[in-house]
Amino acid sequence: MTGPSDVLVVGASAAGLTVAETLRRLGYAGALTVLGAEPHLPYDRPPLSKHVLSGHWEPSRATLRDPQALARLDAALVLGSPAVALDAGARSVRTAAGRTLRADAVVVATGLSPRTLPGQADLAGAHVLRTLDDALALRRELTPGARLVVIGDGVLGSEIAATARSMGAEVTLVGPRPAPMTDQLGPEVAARLARLHTDHGVRLLPGSAVRGLRAAGGRVDGVHLDSGETLPADVAVVAIGAAPNTAWLTGSGLRVDDGLVCDSWCRAAEGIYAAGDVARWHHDGLGTLQRLENRTNATEQAMAVARTVLGDARPYRPVPYFWTEQYATRIHVYGTPAADAELTVVEGDMAEQRFVALYQRDGTVTGVLGWNMPKQARLLRQRLVDAYASAAPGSATP
């Protein structure tokens, strides 16, 4: 494979690094630049809410590649320099430092930014968790007995609650759903996850909306609920989702709508591609635009984008997948489980904390879940692969 004379990857993320590594592995010998907003070498995000936050890992262990491996990549690594503008026609990127980088192909892999509550930025003790620095700042405050309120009952909020509880913090998990991760797991499995948390001493406040943070002396000391109750807090973590980092694409002429919109090959425009959390592309197998926020997709999509950049374009139609580790429990989910899907346990037993379940709608399998049975769940994933392949109607452009 040959490809363009030079490639610029915007985002020194897992997706961005995988694009660069895949290009080299496929024989690309042109100039390669990776631009990163953070000063750190590319690192892995899933361990942040678990191993790094708990202190079981030091920050260096989350680094994806050591300096020697990065040197062998033969890429210009420009770190601590956020992108602020893109000229799609010229395929040039301007950085916050005023530098302009140009390439024949530009890959956008700028990821997400966490959503926050009004006034949060000015309060000590009020945290988000997206970056390595976020994890370390939160870790310093999770001393045994500290009263932590986690705002948000999705994957990240649930993981933070579990990790903090294992560190000895007094944890309250607040969210609008009936149980943690209801949107991702459906009501029956989410109820089981709720019991797991309560068994470990987490206080759950399901169906609760947060009105704001209470402060004293410039530090958070409580969380106001719409019910009128105020939860005392020494520390608060806001985990209410994240938005794609696309503000810097304003004026680029590219279509931005809950991510950078791409065709079936993850191409936003001629010579412009996207990978990872920021990419919203047309999934042929599902017949809709999709944007996935998980580590597996970041890697797989980045490899697909690298092949497309080199002229080996194939529609990207993955089986959506994520996993989460909470306490000693690992949950693996394939496909798109829906709250109204019929749930059937096909292996193991829920009561024994080891099972595989299928989600079905109108007789069609839409999702597979493994609770402490990862291998068995992965085998059943093939049903979804076959379904997506047979359903693919043809590729679509933006």
Side-chain angles (χ1 to χ4, degrees):
M1 297 183 183
T2 54
S5 61
D6 42 22
V7 177
L8 170 61
V9 181
V10 186
S13 56
L17 180 61
T18 301
V19 170
E21 291 182 328
T22 305
L23 287 171
R24 291 301 193 217
R25 188 169 64 251
L26 295 175
Y28 178 66
L32 184 56
T33 301
V34 179
L35 176 68
E38 295 184 57
H40 307 292
L41 294 177
Y43 60 85
D44 214 6
R45 295 191 192 276
L48 298 183
S49 59
K50 299 177 277 289
H51 310 303
V52 174
L53 181 59
S54 69
H56 291 154
W57 284 18
E58 286 308 309
S60 59
R61 191 168 173 182
T63 302
L64 288 167
R65 300 290 182 270
D66 61 35
Q68 293 75 24
L70 291 174
R72 291 193 295 270
L73 190 58
D74 190 25
L77 202 59
V78 183
L79 300 177
S81 187
V84 296
L86 169 67
D87 183 332
R91 295 173 203 156
S92 65
V93 172
R94 183 163 50 87
T95 73
R99 184 177 177 182
T100 297
L101 303 174
R102 192 201 170 281
D104 286 343
V106 176
V107 180
V108 176
T110 46
L112 307 170
S113 290
R115 296 187 175 94
T116 58
L117 295 176
Q120 177 181 341
D122 300 324
L123 289 181
H127 296 263
V128 294
L129 205 169
R130 175 67 188 173
T131 69
L132 179 60
D133 292 337
D134 292 338
L136 296 178
L138 178 58
R139 185 170 89 179
R140 287 192 290 269
E141 300 214 56
L142 291 181
T143 55
R147 297 171 299 177
L148 169 67
V149 176
V150 180
I151 303 165
D153 55 9
V155 179
L156 180 60
S158 300
E159 290 183 348
I160 293 170
T163 301
R165 188 71 194 105
S166 72
M167 298 169 69
E170 298 299 322
V171 181
T172 300
L173 178 59
V174 180
R177 305 293 182 256
M181 294 181 58
T182 297
D183 289 349
Q184 293 83 12
L185 306 177
E188 189 172 353
V189 179
R192 181 158 295 277
L193 182 63
R195 288 194 290 275
L196 180 67
H197 276 279
T198 56
D199 287 347
H200 282 82
V202 174
R203 180 190 179 194
L204 299 180
L205 293 179
S208 298
V210 170
R211 184 158 46 88
L213 302 175
R214 185 179 71 184
R219 183 177 180 86
V220 66
D221 81 336
V223 175
H224 295 300
L225 304 182
D226 272 357
S227 65
E229 181 182 2
T230 297
L231 305 173
D234 302 310
V235 187
V237 179
V238 177
I240 55 175
N245 281 324
T246 55
W248 68 284
L249 297 174
T250 301
S252 67
L254 301 177
R255 182 183 169 193
V256 173
D257 180 8
D258 185 34
L260 179 55
V261 178
C262 302
D263 62 16
S264 303
W265 300 277
C266 306
R267 181 180 57 197
E270 187 64 31
I272 308 288
Y273 311 86
D277 297 345
V278 74
R280 188 166 181 237
W281 88 103
H282 187 273
H283 191 303
D284 285 354
L286 297 172
T288 62
L289 288 172
Q290 290 284 304
R291 188 175 65 78
L292 300 178
E293 298 179 10
N294 63 71
R295 178 66 168 81
T296 300
N297 178 71
T299 300
E300 293 180 349
Q301 192 167 34
M303 291 190 290
V305 165
R307 298 189 73 89
T308 298
V309 168
L310 296 181
D312 184 18
R314 307 171 190 178
Y316 180 59
R317 52 172 78 109
V319 173
Y321 164 74
F322 76 90
W323 66 273
T324 180
E325 181 180 357
Q326 298 175 37
Y327 311 105
T329 296
R330 283 200 169 204
I331 305 169
H332 297 256
V333 180
Y334 299 92
T336 53
D340 60 348
E342 179 185 353
L343 183 74
T344 305
V345 174
V346 294
E347 289 195 51
D349 190 324
M350 278 193 177
E352 295 179 0
Q353 303 294 322
R354 292 186 74 253
F355 64 91
V356 178
L358 297 182
Y359 295 80
Q360 299 180 75
R361 179 183 286 164
D362 299 326
T364 299
V365 175
T366 62
V368 177
L369 178 142
W371 184 293
N372 288 327
M373 295 186 76
K375 294 180 181 178
Q376 295 86 341
R378 188 167 60 248
L379 290 173
L380 287 172
R381 167 187 178 272
Q382 188 60 40
R383 295 197 189 187
L384 296 168
V385 174
D386 296 340
Y388 288 0
S390 63
S395 302
T397 56

